[in-house]
Structures are given as structure tokens and as C-alpha cells.
Amino acid sequence: MSLEIARVAEEDLPELLPLVRAYCDFYEVAPTDEALLALSRALIADPQREGIQLIARDDGKAVAFATVYWSWATTIAARIGVMNDLYVSPDARGSGAADALIEACRGECGKHGAAELTWQTALDNERAQRVYERVGATRSQWLDYSLSVRA
């Protein structure tokens, strides 16, 4: 395996979109391709304020991606990176791509001055939980809630 990880740029979007679509399919959500591309372009345009996306390639083929958004945590009084997305294509699972992307996200957080990299996963996503425990992440006891602000 010849894994390379890079920040997503405009020229990566045709390869990134199928990975992001597969990620959305996994979570049974269906934003439009246009909305997904707009999200990626916002990150490309302002990585210092918005966040970044990383793409992993194995022998030149896009196999995985991760998205980190910048935020703050009052409980540690510091900037954090929130890894909102991590997806590895089925044929690349078990290859080390997830571990490498997490470490790359951690490195991006360090460059940005963030004290922590945080993320969440579905309660039933046991495969992902095994990866997170393997890389040394600490499980949180928080329960997430959300409210829609769309009319």
C-alpha cells in the first residue's frame, strides 16, 4: 500500500464527491451533490477559519477522506478541531487509512493551535469504535442532541 494524504483542493473534488456520497449513504442522509461541493469549496476557500478536508489515496486512487472543523471548548478553554467526518471505502478498510487520516487530522490541529481533536460516531458503528480505541482515543460519556434551525 502506498498511502498519501493531502488537503483537498478544487482538482480533488471529482474524486472526493463519491466518497462523501458513500459516507452520506452510510448515515442514510441525502444532501445534494451541489450542497456537498459547496461545503468542500467553503473549506478550500478559508481553511484558517472554517476547517479542512483531507483525502487519502492508495497508489493514486482516492480511498478515504476526513473533515475537520475549527471550534472552541470552554471546558478546556482552548481551540479544538472537530473531526466531523471520517470515511474509508469498503475496499480500503483494514489498510491503515483510517489511522493515517486520524493522525493527519491531529497534525493539522497542531498546526492550527488546537489543543484537542474530537469526534463522534454512531452508537452502533462498532468497527469505527475499534479503530478509535486502537489509536488511543478516549470515549466520552456525552449524549448528543440537536435542533433544526431551518424553517
Side-chain angles (χ1 to χ4, degrees):
M1 180 168 141
S2 173
L3 193 66
E4 294 179 11
I5 297 175
R7 277 193 184 186
V8 170
E10 183 71 28
E11 59 268 16
D12 299 313
L13 294 181
E15 291 179 285
L16 176 68
L17 184 59
L19 293 169
V20 177
R21 173 61 54 214
Y23 173 81
C24 289
D25 290 347
F26 177 82
Y27 283 107
E28 299 176 353
V29 295
T32 65
D33 287 355
E34 294 77 19
L36 293 171
L37 290 169
L39 181 156
S40 293
R41 287 185 174 115
L43 296 171
I44 291 167
D46 197 355
Q48 283 303 108
R49 288 191 336 179
E50 299 288 351
I52 52 114
Q53 280 183 312
L54 300 175
I55 191 165
R57 288 189 173 83
D58 182 12
D59 290 326
K61 178 186 175 198
V63 297
F65 83 97
T67 309
V68 176
Y69 300 111
W70 306 126
S71 190
W72 291 87
T74 304
T75 55
I76 61 171
R79 180 181 303 280
I80 62 170
V82 179
M83 186 174 65
N84 204 61
D85 315 313
L86 175 65
Y87 178 79
V88 179
S89 62
D91 58 330
R93 292 181 186 157
S95 69
D99 300 51
L101 273 169
I102 292 168
E103 190 56 36
C105 289
R106 188 179 189 187
E108 291 284 347
C109 285
K111 291 177 197 171
H112 195 71
E116 284 187 351
L117 172 65
T118 67
W119 64 91
Q120 59 187 195
T121 192
L123 292 172
D124 64 350
N125 193 346
E126 293 173 2
R127 182 176 185 136
Q129 291 170 35
R130 286 191 301 273
V131 170
Y132 304 150
E133 290 165 8
R134 184 178 65 241
V135 300
T138 303
R139 181 186 295 257
S140 171
Q141 296 303 314
W142 293 97
L143 181 60
D144 293 330
Y145 289 86
S146 65
L147 284 172
S148 177
V149 295
R150 295 183 179 174

